[in-house]
Amino acid sequence: MIEPLPSPRAPLPTDSPLLAGLAAAALDAGVAIRRIEAEGFTAEEKADKSPVTKADREAEAIICAHLARLAPGVPVIAEEAMSAGAQVEPGPRFFLVDPLDGTREFLSGNGEYTVNIALVEDGRPVLGIVYAPALALLFAGRPGAAFRAIRAPGAPVDAQDWQPIGCRQVPDGPLCVATSRSHGDPVTDAFVARHAVAEMIPAGSALKFGLVAEGKVDLYPRFGTVMEWDTAAGHALVSAAGGAVTRPDGSALTYGHKESGFKVNGFLVWGAGRAPA
């Protein structure tokens, strides 16, 4: 009797040693962030008037140490180092790191902050980790496959309990829209007002990319200026889940633009299928 061939197993983040390594870096950074959150901390103000804390800096140091072991020689463009004046040439392959995205959410204590790590190749984010330590929620994306898992800070990445996720089809009717909890702006509001909206869901940090990747919302628009490390990991995640991230005019959003200070002048995040204008 011929035994039937086993059904192919769905790919997991742990099948990619590099993606698993990025997840481990985020989980370790989460330990430091939660410890500092529990101990208490004082916020400082950077040159651009945005807040920064000891948690941002310690998390970045942990992540950069992981990346140096995982991919020696690959440039790392990390928020706090760049804010301190570091000069890094991105090259064709580099990492983008936001060690604590949503510092205002961290300061408020609402838990809606994330650790964002992305690998960019030829201007396109190909691997992305978005981790919310306070929520123990870990997202991972690589070309063609996106996942979520519940992982406490410091937990092993391992192969257990990963849930494949995917964007939902953008409907022809009213949209479910993710909005920024702390960074609203009139241009974004005007864009949303041009569409029929069934529901608006506010959230902090890169968690809004996760809402799109999970199929919980159809659209996340942002017209204010942000930085490449704010968007790259979420961009990789949404692309892996079947969605699209573009500039506001619909053109491709690419990365590694040192000449413009690594700024992103707005973006649109859509679920699967058409992206209405």
Side-chain angles (χ1 to χ4, degrees), residues 29 69 110 114 159 185 227 265:
R69 293 190 296 269
N110 70 12
T114 60
D185 67 88
M227 305 303 290
N265 295 313

Side-chain angles (χ1 to χ4, degrees), residues 115-195:
V115 177
N116 303 339
I117 309 173
L119 175 66
V120 177
E121 294 183 346
D122 298 322
R124 184 171 64 94
V126 294
L127 299 180
I129 294 291
V130 175
Y131 178 50
L135 307 178
L137 179 58
L138 177 62
F139 292 102
R142 67 182 193 185
F147 314 85
R148 60 164 280 166
I150 300 302
R151 292 287 188 277
V157 177
D158 66 41
Q160 304 301 311
D161 305 319
W162 284 98
Q163 175 187 351
I165 58 174
C167 297
R168 70 186 187 191
Q169 198 76 14
V170 177
D172 291 328
L175 305 172
C176 185
V177 180
T179 61
S180 176
R181 193 178 294 283
S182 301
H183 298 280
D185 67 88
V187 179
T188 301
D189 293 343
F191 176 82
V192 173
R194 296 203 301 270
H195 298 82

Side-chain angles (χ1 to χ4, degrees), residues 44 103 136 138 241 258:
E44 304 166 33
T103 304
L138 177 62
K258 183 180 179 182

Side-chain angles (χ1 to χ4, degrees), residues 4-5 11 21 29 44 59 63-64 85 92 94 112 126 136 161 174 176 193 230 234 236 257 263 275:
L5 293 173
E44 304 166 33
I63 294 165
C64 289
F94 64 96
E112 292 186 348
V126 294
D161 305 319
C176 185
D230 293 314
H257 298 287
K263 291 180 180 177

